[in-house]
Amino acid sequence: EFDGDESIEYPLPDDRRAYLHLAEGSLTVNGQRLSAGDALKIRGEPLVKVSEGRAATVLLFDLP
């Protein structure tokens, strides 16, 4: 959950992918603004950067 100035950087090795789903609120992921219900597939990025959350509930899946 994110609401305010908190942020996180999750390292993503080259052989891994991530799936991020925003259940509630809004936030920014790797510079892209998301709203409730949005999702991202992330591949080829060294970090998943999550910031600028507003009443945000987010699920991040680290996948092979």
Side-chain angles (χ1 to χ4, degrees):
E1 295 184 346
F2 292 84
D3 191 28
D5 294 333
E6 62 260 339
S7 65
I8 190 170
E9 291 186 354
Y10 184 84
L12 195 60
D14 289 339
D15 62 340
R16 306 294 294 177
R17 297 175 289 157
Y19 176 81
L20 184 140
H21 178 80
L22 182 58
E24 298 177 327
S26 63
L27 53 73
T28 299
V29 179
N30 289 9
Q32 186 172 350
R33 193 71 182 163
L34 301 179
S35 297
D38 289 344
L40 286 176
K41 294 178 184 177
I42 303 167
R43 185 177 186 177
E45 296 284 339
L47 290 172
V48 178
K49 300 176 188 177
V50 178
S51 61
E52 301 174 17
R54 300 292 175 251
T57 301
V58 62
L59 300 167
L60 177 63
F61 299 89
D62 183 337
L63 304 166

